[in-house]
Amino acid sequence: MTRFRPRSKSVVSWTVFALLLAGWFFTLRPTFLGGPASYVMVSGKSMEPRLHTGDLVVAREAPEYQVGDVVAFRIPAREAGAGSMVIHRIIGGSGADGYTVQGDNRELPDPWHPTDEDVLGRMWFLIPQAANVLTMLRSPLGIAAVAAVLVFLIIALDRSGNEEAGDADDVDEVPLGDRSGSAPSAT
């Protein structure tokens, strides 16, 4: 009878991990690591009802942006709030001359006119309230909680690994005859 060996589980686990890492690398790697994704923590009411404070938006670079796209951009240099990140909808303009942008919950367009160089990306997907979780995890209490969970997992995985290794060392006992040291007799 063939037993599923702990070694096979390890190979499968590492294969799944490698595939997940490759998927992250090509689709969700942040721009500061050379990837295509920007992460925006929504703050304020300018994009309600679609986006709310505490939401996390993942934006991806696009070859071009059009009217109607929700884009994340940095406020251009020499303008009030320069360098801050904003996520609003394009309502006009061009990438070369500057887009006209406006929050969905605003009556007037923004005073900023970001160009293609200022745009970080188009909204790809939204994770509701994830920014609140990230903010909590960045606090001292959050960091301590993550560290405690990691230590627990390391200890738990180490113990389960030892139990699996112990199971693999089990050997079926074969009767050798009497314990007197004489060889088994053939009858």
Side-chain angles (χ1 to χ4, degrees), residues 63-74:
E64 60 183 42
Y65 303 99
Q66 302 171 5
V67 171
D69 287 345
V70 175
V71 294
F73 63 91
R74 293 225 179 260

Side-chain angles (χ1 to χ4, degrees), residues 1-16 163-165 167-169:
M1 177 161 120
T2 305
R3 262 177 52 176
F4 189 77
R5 301 174 194 266
R7 202 177 223 170
S8 299
K9 289 180 187 176
S10 177
V11 170
V12 170
S13 297
W14 279 108
T15 302
V16 168
E163 289 171 7
E164 287 176 0
D167 290 345
D169 292 338

Side-chain angles (χ1 to χ4, degrees), residues 4-173:
F4 189 77
R5 301 174 194 266
R7 202 177 223 170
S8 299
K9 289 180 187 176
S10 177
V11 170
V12 170
S13 297
W14 279 108
T15 302
V16 168
F17 175 75
L19 290 172
L20 289 172
L21 185 62
W24 171 85
F25 184 84
F26 290 109
T27 61
L28 296 172
R29 186 170 35 118
T31 54
F32 72 86
L33 292 176
S38 294
Y39 295 82
V40 182
M41 293 194 285
V42 177
S43 175
K45 299 179 183 237
S46 65
M47 286 299 290
E48 287 184 355
R50 185 166 188 188
L51 305 176
H52 299 83
T53 296
D55 291 347
L56 181 69
V57 172
V58 178
R60 291 194 57 181
E61 296 172 342
E64 60 183 42
Y65 303 99
Q66 302 171 5
V67 171
D69 287 345
V70 175
V71 294
F73 63 91
R74 293 225 179 260
I75 297 175
R78 297 180 303 277
E79 294 192 33
S84 296
M85 193 180 308
V86 177
I87 184 159
H88 279 175
R89 188 176 305 279
I90 296 174
I91 61 168
S94 70
D97 298 329
Y99 295 107
T100 302
V101 290
Q102 179 177 340
D104 289 351
N105 196 24
R106 299 279 188 232
E107 293 183 18
L108 298 172
D110 295 342
W112 317 294
H113 295 283
T115 63
D116 281 336
E117 291 179 10
D118 302 312
V119 175
L120 302 171
R122 176 185 311 135
M123 185 169 90
W124 186 29
F125 65 90
L126 162 73
I127 306 171
Q129 298 303 303
N132 287 337
V133 174
L134 291 175
T135 300
M136 190 275 305
L137 290 175
R138 291 170 51 182
S139 72
L141 181 61
I143 292 169
V146 169
V149 168
L150 288 175
V151 168
F152 173 78
L153 288 174
I154 289 169
I155 291 169
L157 291 174
D158 182 52
R159 286 188 179 168
S160 70
N162 287 341
E163 289 171 7
E164 287 176 0
D167 290 345
D169 292 338
D170 289 346
V171 177
D172 291 336
E173 292 184 25

